Amino acid sequence: MSEKIIIVAEIISKPGEIENLKAEVLKLIEPSRAEPGNISYELHRDLEDDNKLVMIEQFKDEEAFEKHAASEHFQSFGESAKPYLAGVNIKKLNRLA
């Protein structure tokens, strides 16, 4: 049985570039939510770090997440966000309780 995958992605901007980075990340929301295996795709701002956005994503299984990662809109984001991006930390989770 496949398990739901939860992704927590910390997206860190270069100094002074958070608004530009946010604009690029926002372009991912609609097409990602429309993917067949997507359950939720929510963008948050870190209240303790002005240069950090946090995306919390849920996919029905690993295969759905892999399709998302290979999607044209996600690959385009990697290029368009590059000038504003300082780093990304990704955690993959399965819910236990």
Side-chain angles (χ1 to χ4, degrees):
M1 178 179 184
S2 61
E3 293 185 45
K4 180 169 47 171
I5 299 291
I6 298 135
I7 306 296
V8 178
E10 295 178 333
I11 307 162
I12 305 155
S13 75
K14 292 178 180 175
E17 297 291 352
I18 191 67
E19 292 302 319
N20 290 322
L21 181 60
K22 183 174 82 172
E24 294 302 322
V25 175
L26 286 171
K27 294 176 187 176
L28 288 172
I29 303 290
E30 188 175 327
S32 297
R33 287 180 178 167
E35 293 171 356
N38 181 268
I39 297 168
S40 67
Y41 204 81
E42 299 177 345
L43 181 61
H44 305 268
R45 188 164 206 166
D46 190 310
L47 294 176
E48 296 177 358
D49 186 340
D50 290 340
N51 292 314
K52 189 183 293 182
L53 302 171
V54 178
M55 183 72 77
I56 300 175
E57 314 165 20
Q58 292 185 58
F59 295 90
K60 73 175 191 166
D61 55 24
E62 181 73 29
E63 182 181 357
F65 171 68
E66 289 173 7
K67 286 181 181 179
H68 165 70
S71 69
E72 183 178 331
H73 58 271
F74 189 78
Q75 294 297 315
S76 294
F77 164 76
E79 287 302 311
S80 64
K82 197 178 286 188
Y84 318 118
L85 194 60
V88 178
N89 299 315
I90 297 176
K91 295 187 186 291
K92 287 170 100 177
L93 310 169
N94 285 120
R95 183 177 174 175
L96 296 178

